[in-house]
Amino acid sequence: MAGLKTASGDYIDASWELSVAVEELGPEAEPLTLRVTGDVHIGGVMLQIVDKIKVKQNWSDHALWWEQKKLWLLKTNWTLDKYGLQADARLRYTPQHKPVRLQLPNRRMIRVHASFSEPVFRAVAGICRVLTIRHAEELSLLRAPEEKDKKKRKGPVLGTEDEFDLSGVVLPASAEQQPFRGMPAHFSDSPATEACYRMLSVSWTGLTPEHVLKMPRPSNLMEKAQINSRWLSSSRSLMQQDVRENEQLWLRFKYYNFFDLEPKYDAVRITQLYEQARWAVLLEETESTEEEMMVFAALQYHINKLSLSADPTETAGEQGMDDLDSALSNLQVKLEGRTSTSDMLENLTTIPELKDYLRIFRPRKLTLKGYKQHWVVFKETTISYYKSRDEALGEPVQQLNLKGCEVVPDVNISGQKFCIRLLVPSPEGMSEVYLRCDDEQQYARWMAGCRLAAKGRTMADSTYQSEVQNILSFLQLQRASPDAPVAPDAEAMGTQWLVSPRYQKKFKPKQLTPRILEAHQNVAQLSLTEAKMRFIQAWQSLPDFGISYFVVRFKGSRKDEILGIANNRLIRIDLAVGDVVKTWRYSNMRQWNVNWDIRQVAIEFDEHINVAFSSVSAGCNIVHEYIGGYIFLSTRSTDKGRGLDEELFYKLTGGHEAL
């Protein structure tokens, strides 16, 4: 085969012409024509290209892209024959890293260089390294909505007024970056990059009610599901998904499983997480009651006030950081089904029980009767209730095993209503039961027990007491302080933007301002980071926090329904009325697979429960990736030395299209 290399003259061997477009030469330039044979390596083709162009520059980031196959030819030691390339192949010699415009969780725009040749999972990790956001596996990229969706809004869209440019940033070679002047070194290069770090780590204070009103917001579950149809596949590259240079994408926290939040290292991550939470509340992507909305408004008002004078280079040394340990332990998600040694020791001792008189209401019974008092015993993960305390040794009126149930708070502080709504799985669907407590203390104890039992854990679990405290502190935030002096200063008069449009319409500013300032008395002592953490914590306490919605068709059903995917469970929801029909926990999952031909996800749970559905509102691969992604995140270790098992992520999320 050595004779296949030809000199100039007639070609009488097995060589053929290969056409390569070179981006650097401009869109109008004719493609280069190379004479090659099948045993030429990709590296050899690239050498020929550079030789022909005769432009002196660094070509190390360039690679070949095969347009028809949507494939990067990155294995430079492979031959053209091995890749299956023939004369009809259209190749492009192009940089692997290109600029993209990202809208961040805080709705501000940034321009960065991203990898167009690696899987999106790795491209996001690269972007997060530039932005100094740890645990990039929790975030991903979505396509921006179509222009036609934006036409309803008039005036400038939030964040488009000024775009921050980090496309020229070069990261230091060492993985551990030493801060310089209180910020990551690559942000201290120029006033522009310093301003960018401030934008990333300090909340924007220039919001107006119009900004909130102009933002598109989902009005029903169907519209919430549409948002999730835009996620890019994590196991394929940007180029494979037809993303163009300088295209606008959204960077968002995709998985609501926030691991190891540490104020010392996570200034940008905590701020962006707070911003995503804030917009979820303001745009009613996560529902909240009027009292809860006032707490969120008060926290935003406080954060806004402190942010006006905040120096991002000093936030790491903020006072009161030690007090955050309890908040952090609440925020760190305990892995489903995993028990530490301390938990095992606690489980060997007597499991605490709750026994008390509660009022119970079962709305599904054909009765007009309201709440009825019962003696209720909460043991392990089971609630049993009796007509009276004396009958507790006999048969209960009913017994409810809370494992896998939905626990929904139904609280109104001013009306002294402390209810727990339980949706308990039963053969017929979900059995609905309300427990009404007398006061906050009783409510916090029972609510914490119910939340743990739903996950299959008992009150012997080490997180029980912190869960009780977490619930009490959130209730305390909602309690008005009538004795506190409320002076609506000029600064506070602009409070309309602190609440969602529904409450903007319901209250005039002069009604809203005193209520927000009243609620502010409960949070006025918090530091800036504490206030953001408290906001994230309160967001996590909402009933529909962290649920991503999809329109699906269950096997055997003739109508579309909603599938809610959360960090620990799947939820079947009636599309017409929004009621939970059934819940399945990942901890009970035995196996799952996807039939890619008919685009159907099939899951088997314990006790031979089989669930199958096809996705209507999004690609089957997006639903598959969500479920696999949460299972992958549950395998993360607190061991700092252990990196992420990237191959496992692709295996769990990518299906047959993974690599």
Side-chain angles (χ1 to χ4, degrees), residues 624-640:
H624 172 61
E625 183 175 311
Y626 248 108
I627 299 169
Y630 274 126
I631 292 167
F632 170 75
L633 293 185
S634 74
T635 67
R636 289 187 291 187
S637 166
T638 48
D639 178 6
K640 296 271 191 270

Side-chain angles (χ1 to χ4, degrees), residues 14-50:
S15 68
W16 39 276
E17 288 188 338
L18 182 65
S19 174
V20 182
V22 180
E23 260 182 32
E24 251 67 12
L25 302 178
E28 303 302 315
E30 285 292 312
L32 298 181
T33 304
L34 309 176
R35 177 130 317 244
V36 294
T37 55
D39 59 357
V40 172
H41 293 85
I42 295 297
V45 173
M46 297 202 306
L47 282 172
Q48 277 195 58
I49 294 167
V50 174

Side-chain angles (χ1 to χ4, degrees), residues 566-615:
N567 69 349
N568 53 10
R569 67 203 191 282
L570 299 176
I571 309 152
R572 184 174 183 171
I573 301 166
D574 186 309
L575 179 55
V577 287
D579 285 352
V580 174
V581 178
K582 200 88 178 167
T583 300
W584 303 279
R585 299 245 157 208
Y586 298 149
S587 50
N588 298 333
M589 199 186 275
R590 296 185 68 168
Q591 63 169 349
W592 66 306
N593 59 67
V594 181
N595 182 330
W596 293 103
D597 296 328
I598 58 169
R599 301 267 159 187
Q600 188 179 72
V601 180
I603 309 172
E604 186 189 335
F605 294 94
D606 291 344
E607 297 166 15
H608 307 293
I609 295 167
N610 292 295
V611 178
F613 56 84
S614 54
S615 180

Side-chain angles (χ1 to χ4, degrees), residues 439-453:
D439 55 35
E440 290 176 35
Q441 295 292 334
Q442 188 185 49
Y443 169 80
R445 291 194 303 273
W446 285 79
M447 186 64 171
C450 290
R451 281 182 178 166
L452 285 171

Side-chain angles (χ1 to χ4, degrees), residues 53 171 242 248 263 373 390 399 522 541 546 582 610:
I53 301 170
L171 286 177
D242 301 318
Q248 189 193 136
Q373 186 150 297
D390 300 336
Q399 202 166 47
N522 293 322
S541 301
K582 200 88 178 167
N610 292 295

Side-chain angles (χ1 to χ4, degrees), residues 115-116 118-124 139-143 228-243 249 254-255 596 599 619-626 649-650 653-659:
S115 171
F116 272 61
E118 294 177 301
V120 163
F121 182 83
R122 216 175 284 167
V124 170
L139 297 95
S140 195
L141 297 170
L142 303 95
R143 294 182 192 279
N228 291 313
S229 67
R230 305 203 314 266
W231 288 105
L232 293 175
S233 166
S234 294
S235 40
R236 298 169 71 221
S237 70
L238 291 175
M239 200 87 153
Q240 285 174 306
Q241 299 179 73
D242 301 318
V243 174
L249 298 171
K254 177 177 183 178
Y255 298 107
W596 293 103
R599 301 267 159 187
C620 186
N621 59 314
I622 295 179
V623 179
H624 172 61
E625 183 175 311
Y626 248 108
F649 176 82
Y650 297 133
T653 61
H656 79 313
E657 301 173 336
L659 295 168

